Amino acid sequence: MQPGTDRALSRLSGSLLGPLSLLFKAVSCLNLGIKALRSRSFPQLFIISVDSLSFGGTGKTPLAMAIGEALEARGARFALISRGYRSRHEKDGIRVQTGHSFLDVGDEALMLKARFPNQEVFIGRDRLRSIAAATEAGIRILVLDDGFQSSHIRKDLSIMLVNPAHPYFYLRHFRFLARCADQVLLYRGDGSAPAPGNAGYGFAISGFLDAGGRRVEIGDSSLIAFSALGDNGRFARDMERFNLAAFRSFADHHAFTAEDLRSLEALRREKDAAWMVCTEKDFHKLRAMLAPGAGARRDGFPDFPLLYARNTIQLPDGFIAAIIDHAKRKGLL
């Protein structure tokens, strides 16, 4: 296909998808407002909701993990509740076990369970069912990863992450959405100051780990990187701070195959790179393939040089401490 034809098709698809996108967003907002009219309260629980206006890529899961680490450091028992997007158990819901695969529970839930093996993780489209399961297990502190869609559930604290570069940014002006968040954080990946009245957040790679969870010092070694996120550009920009020889993007929640690994390994060899680096979320999808006896191993990768980047969310001073204080005032810490 000629470049001119590509541009024409792109303009045509944009003109068609724009109105459809606007209609979808309008219907979604209306649905959220209707559900909020019959919202349920859970006074015996402390429910924290980490939300976003975008479909993905703003950092909801890293923030949920940061909150979880702070709670766990204080000896708290809590549950992380995620949807399990595109997983086998998204519809019926399930308590996540360490032996589950990402096909069973989704990549984000698998990462959450790996990070917090001694805490409970629940998935399911029906958040009320997950809350009931957590309550039955005697857990009173709940962290909802992307609880924004559950406007029928009243939260003790709602945190909205907003990336001004994402297409949903204009929705911040809707009064209903403004009432849905107790705290709004604006992404400032370019280092710019946040808008007046809004706190900013960012990300920093705090280290690289191998399959055994051991830190690896990469120094100035050449590397290639890849990711399957809602915002691959963010990870690519973070990796450019290192000796990055090439970067490859995949669709969000992409299910990696042995062919993907062969292609990435070929790229690493072509660039004469020492390491391949992926995100922590993507690593947990690849772990089963890289285990001894797995297909990828049989296909010729006995010493696959794969690391994953530990990406840490950077928050305003005192942000996490305020959440902990909130839980203390409710008598849960």
Side-chain angles (χ1 to χ4, degrees):
M1 189 176 292
Q2 298 299 317
T5 305
D6 287 340
R7 288 192 293 270
L9 288 175
S10 178
R11 287 194 297 270
L12 177 61
S13 63
S15 63
L16 291 174
L17 292 177
L20 290 176
S21 174
L22 181 61
L23 177 62
F24 173 79
K25 293 167 186 175
V27 172
S28 296
C29 285
L30 178 61
N31 182 51
L32 289 172
I34 292 173
K35 288 196 298 183
L37 295 176
R38 56 180 189 274
S39 60
R40 288 183 54 183
S41 296
F42 298 87
Q44 78 280 17
L45 304 177
F46 179 48
I47 300 178
I48 308 166
S49 183
V50 180
D51 307 323
S52 169
L53 295 182
S54 307
F55 282 123
T58 53
K60 295 185 299 294
T61 304
L63 177 54
M65 290 194 294
I67 294 170
E69 288 172 351
L71 291 169
E72 196 166 62
R74 289 157 178 82
R77 189 175 178 224
F78 60 92
L80 293 150
I81 295 177
S82 183
R83 177 166 176 162
Y85 184 62
R86 291 185 180 178
S87 69
R88 293 185 181 123
H89 293 285
E90 178 186 0
K91 184 176 180 180
D92 58 332
I94 197 172
R95 174 175 172 264
V96 179
Q97 307 282 355
T98 53
H100 279 134
S101 73
F102 83 94
L103 294 175
D104 294 326
V105 299
D107 45 18
E108 290 161 349
L110 195 65
M111 178 173 65
L112 290 171
K113 188 60 181 177
R115 185 71 74 89
F116 302 103
N118 298 319
Q119 305 289 349
E120 299 294 348
V121 178
F122 296 92
I123 67 157
R125 192 180 301 168
D126 186 344
R127 300 301 177 93
L128 287 174
R129 183 185 297 175
S130 295
I131 289 175
T135 304
E136 186 177 350
I139 301 170
R140 296 181 60 197
I141 301 178
L142 309 181
V143 181
L144 305 188
D145 186 347
D146 194 14
F148 180 57
Q149 301 299 324
S150 304
S151 58
H152 57 298
I153 298 171
R154 291 186 184 177
K155 293 92 172 180
D156 293 88
L157 182 63
S158 294
I159 306 162
M160 181 70 72
L161 300 180
V162 179
N163 188 333
H166 289 181
Y168 274 66
F169 181 54
Y170 73 90
L171 291 176
R172 73 195 188 282
H173 297 298
F174 283 39
R175 291 183 179 179
F176 166 72
L177 298 178
R179 293 196 302 268
C180 287
D182 298 299
Q183 179 70 60
V184 176
L185 299 179
L186 286 182
Y187 176 61
R188 45 177 177 78
D190 60 357
S192 61
N198 288 287
Y201 74 100
F203 295 91
I205 293 176
S206 58
F208 298 91
L209 292 83
D210 64 14
R214 297 174 292 266
R215 287 189 174 268
V216 176
E217 297 297 332
I218 65 170
D220 60 353
S221 298
S222 178
L223 53 88
I224 69 165
F226 62 96
S227 65
L229 303 173
D231 186 353
N232 289 309
R234 190 192 79 205
F235 185 58
R237 289 189 295 273
D238 289 343
M239 291 305 303
E240 286 173 355
R241 300 167 188 168
F242 303 92
N243 188 8
L244 182 64
F247 187 89
R248 184 166 292 177
S249 298
F250 295 85
D252 195 16
H253 303 288
H254 175 71
F256 290 98
T257 65
E259 183 57 36
D260 292 330
L261 292 176
R262 283 193 289 269
S263 176
L264 289 164
E265 172 67 358
L267 178 62
R268 183 188 71 83
R269 292 179 181 274
E270 175 191 334
K271 299 297 184 180
D272 194 27
W275 299 102
M276 293 170 48
V277 178
C278 66
T279 67
E280 188 172 359
K281 183 173 81 167
D282 293 322
F283 170 78
H284 288 293
K285 289 188 288 187
L286 291 164
R287 170 176 276 178
M289 297 178 64
L290 298 173
R297 292 280 185 173
R298 292 196 301 270
D299 287 340
F301 301 122
D303 296 306
F304 199 64
L306 178 67
L307 303 175
Y308 67 89
R310 175 61 58 83
N311 210 6
T312 304
I313 191 167
Q314 298 175 310
L315 298 163
D317 292 341
F319 185 82
I320 293 293
I323 296 175
I324 297 301
D325 288 342
H326 198 148
K328 287 180 178 178
R329 288 196 299 272
K330 201 159 184 178
L332 297 177
L333 285 177

